Amino acid sequence: MLELNGVSVNYGAVQALTDVSLTVEQGEIVALIGANGAGKSTTLWTISGLVRPRRGRIIFDGQDIARMSPNRIVALGIGHVPEGRRVFATMSVQENLEMGAYVTKGGRKMREAMRRVFDRFPRLEERKNQLAGTLSGGEQQMLAIGRALMSRPKLLLMDEPSMGLAPMLVREIFAIIRELNAQGTTILLVEQNAHMALSIAQRGYVLETGSITLTGPAVELAGNPEVRRAYLGA
Amino acid sequence: MDLQTLLQQMINGITLGSTYALIALGYTMVYGIIKLINFAHGDVYMLGAFVGLAVVLMGANIWLAIFVAMLACLCVAVTIERVAYRPLRSSIRLAPLISSIGVSIFLQTLMTLLKGPQPVGFPQVVTNTIYTVGLVKISTVQIIILVVAAVLMIGLQLVIKRTKMGKAMRATSEDLRTASLMGINVNAVISFTFALGAVMAAAGGVLVGMYFNSVFPLMGVMAGLKAFCAAVVGGIGSVPGAVLGGLFLGVAEVLGVAAGLGSYRDAIAFGLLILVLLFRPSGLLGQPEQRKV
Ligand SMILES: Nc1ncnc2c1ncn2[C@@H]1O[C@H](COP(=O)(O)OP(=O)(O)OP(=O)(O)O)[C@@H](O)[C@H]1O
Ligand SMILES: [Mg+2]
């Protein structure tokens, strides 16, 4: 479904990604783990078209999207839950969701999408007229996920959805990710919480200073001594 | 100053201030979205005045003149953004700022070449009756200015609050990167913002030309500076702030002149700017700038 092939990204003189290749198959949850500054967010930004790769191809559903604008990439079916949630704090919950459906043509489709999000997250419906900035951290994360779902993505990119949340909420968010996947959304999950991420993913990649150093089935990675030492605190 | 004079000066100040507010809106909206102080904005206002004048000289009424000026300035502003700012968007923040100074000088020079440096009179397009309401007098021209400004500002508020594009503007001004991740076409939003600002300024230009019976190539310099002060006083980036700042500056200027500070007329706006910034660095209605991580 998604294939990165030899992708390199620079920020000025800094090389953030070097020759990154990875694939995500339809229906999978793929975990991308790595330390601070490894380039995980950069990878997701590049897929979403926010950052232009210097080299390499990004194929989504048979099309090279490496030079497309972000709005076209969303329209093709890639949703993004950004790191740190980044809800529009001064806009209401409902307006935030409408922004997620920006590429959707027609009010009826938008209302249907919002209905589905509200059914999944009843708390968002209760607070639909509240400013997003006044929501709790967990609610903001649900809003960020709901907002990304508004465009009905086939592939969802999630950047550290568990960041800064209490353990109970982390479990709730992971349960939601699993449920979304069971209902047909393919997921590329970036996490520092490698343990949780590998427990729900089928496959994983380890990113170190901009390069993929390890890959394999999630259970294998979770058992790999190097991964255990570096990312699982064992 | 007796009550009657005070009330009268308030009316005059609000009239002047609403023209500042019309210009200030363009500064504040553009700054809100791309953090650019668009130095050419005052000159778009000047172009609006010239276009309105040309239309009036062709025999049209003031409404048509305002409408045509708005359309013309919309096209000009969108073109300026496309040609002079967009190619510089990913370079350092100073680059588009300098480019906007270049555009400003270009427009001033162009109009000086075409029309000469001297002020041109504005034909009397409306019979300027003076009405007495209670203690104060108000003229037809003042009523037109107040009504047009109010209608435009309410319209703008509706666009920003209710329409899809208006909501996208707010989302983009809060967080441009996330807005584009959500599929918002940020380039279209930026063009739209320039268009809205230009439409407001163009109307302001025609109204001021009519009010002071004078249109000239450098008229956007002082008006633009004062409107910029108004935007900063109100809190740059805040739409209600720009309106409040404009009215505040207009009233202060007129009252200052009435109180005998006539020779300091243009200094009043800048003095107030300094005063307000000393006590509220983010302006009257501005949010303290949040550092984005
Ligand atoms: N806009 C930018 N300009 C310059 N350098 C950047 C920019 N964004 C990120 N970098 C650098 O690129 C590298 C990769 O950053 P990135 O944010 O992709 O890492 P990450 O794996 O997501 O880290 P974290 O776990 O902290 O979120 C880092 O060295 C970072 O400092
Ligand atoms: Mg990151």
Side-chain angles (χ1 to χ4, degrees), chain A residues 149-166:
Chain A
L149 291 175
M150 287 293 291
S151 61
R152 304 212 64 187
K154 293 178 245 175
L155 169 66
L156 193 57
L157 312 177
M158 305 184 86
D159 200 342
E160 304 199 27
S162 73
M163 189 168 86
L165 297 182

Side-chain angles (χ1 to χ4, degrees), chain A residues 9-17 32-45 51 83 159-160 163 190-192 207 209-210, chain B residues 177:
Chain A
V9 170
N10 280 54
Y11 293 114
V14 183
Q15 180 137 14
L17 293 183
L32 179 61
I33 58 179
N36 275 321
K40 306 179 298 295
S41 299
T42 301
T43 307
L44 298 194
W45 292 332
V51 173
E83 181 177 329
D159 200 342
E160 304 199 27
M163 189 168 86
V190 159
E191 265 299 342
Q192 293 216 13
L207 194 60
T209 53
Chain B
R177 287 167 66 88

Side-chain angles (χ1 to χ4, degrees), chain B:
Chain B
M1 212 184 296
D2 57 31
L3 181 66
Q4 184 174 2
T5 326
L6 187 70
L7 284 176
Q8 185 61 52
Q9 298 306 340
M10 289 295 287
I11 298 281
N12 299 346
I14 289 171
T15 311
L16 181 66
S18 61
T19 68
Y20 290 159
L22 283 177
I23 314 172
L25 284 165
Y27 282 111
T28 226
M29 288 190 295
V30 164
Y31 185 86
I33 296 220
I34 53 174
K35 305 287 173 271
L36 165 71
I37 297 164
N38 176 16
F39 273 99
H41 186 58
D43 305 290
V44 170
Y45 151 90
M46 173 273 291
L47 283 183
F50 271 107
V51 173
L53 176 63
V55 175
V56 162
L57 287 176
M58 285 189 291
N61 63 30
I62 188 70
W63 309 113
L64 187 63
I66 292 176
F67 181 71
V68 175
M70 285 169 139
L71 272 186
C73 288
L74 183 156
C75 299
V76 170
V78 169
T79 310
I80 293 173
E81 190 275 325
R82 189 73 193 74
V83 174
Y85 306 152
R86 192 177 300 180
L88 300 172
R89 198 172 305 148
S90 51
S91 47
I92 55 166
R93 230 171 108 177
L94 208 53
L97 186 84
I98 291 168
S99 185
S100 80
I101 295 174
V103 173
S104 169
I105 295 172
F106 170 76
L107 293 176
Q108 290 164 14
T109 316
L110 180 74
M111 290 313 286
T112 310
L113 278 174
L114 291 177
K115 297 287 174 187
Q118 299 307 323
V120 192
F122 206 93
Q124 194 167 3
V125 271
V126 288
T127 15
N128 204 5
T129 321
I130 303 213
Y131 304 92
T132 307
V133 188
L135 287 174
V136 298
K137 297 190 172 66
I138 185 164
S139 69
T140 318
V141 170
Q142 284 183 316
I143 293 172
I144 291 179
I145 293 178
L146 291 171
V147 169
V148 170
V151 167
L152 286 177
M153 288 180 216
I154 292 167
L156 177 71
Q157 192 64 10
L158 288 178
V159 167
I160 294 177
K161 287 283 177 226
R162 302 278 169 80
T163 67
K164 189 172 172 181
M165 192 50 119
K167 290 175 192 175
M169 271 175 73
R170 282 189 282 144
T172 307
S173 89
E174 195 175 320
D175 187 342
L176 189 138
R177 287 167 66 88
T178 304
S180 54
L181 284 181
M182 294 306 117
I184 292 173
N185 183 343
V186 171
N187 281 330
V189 170
I190 292 171
S191 292
F192 185 75
T193 307
F194 273 85
L196 275 184
V199 158
M200 301 279 151
V206 182
L207 294 172
V208 167
M210 179 175 71
Y211 193 35
F212 294 119
N213 187 26
S214 152
V215 173
F216 56 102
L218 296 185
M219 69 186 279
V221 178
M222 195 47 80
L225 270 177
K226 286 186 193 166
F228 175 65
C229 289
V232 176
V233 163
I236 189 103
S238 157
V239 166
V243 174
L244 184 70
L247 294 176
F248 183 53
L249 247 58
V251 169
E253 183 176 325
V254 169
L255 286 181
V257 171
L261 297 172
S263 43
Y264 296 99
R265 173 171 208 138
D266 291 334
I268 292 171
F270 309 119
L272 272 178
L273 176 73
I274 294 168
L275 261 183
V276 169
L277 292 188
L278 275 179
F279 294 103
R280 276 193 70 96
S282 49
L284 296 174
L285 301 183
Q287 307 288 325
E289 186 154 342
Q290 279 158 8
R291 301 263 323 142
K292 285 177 182 157
V293 265

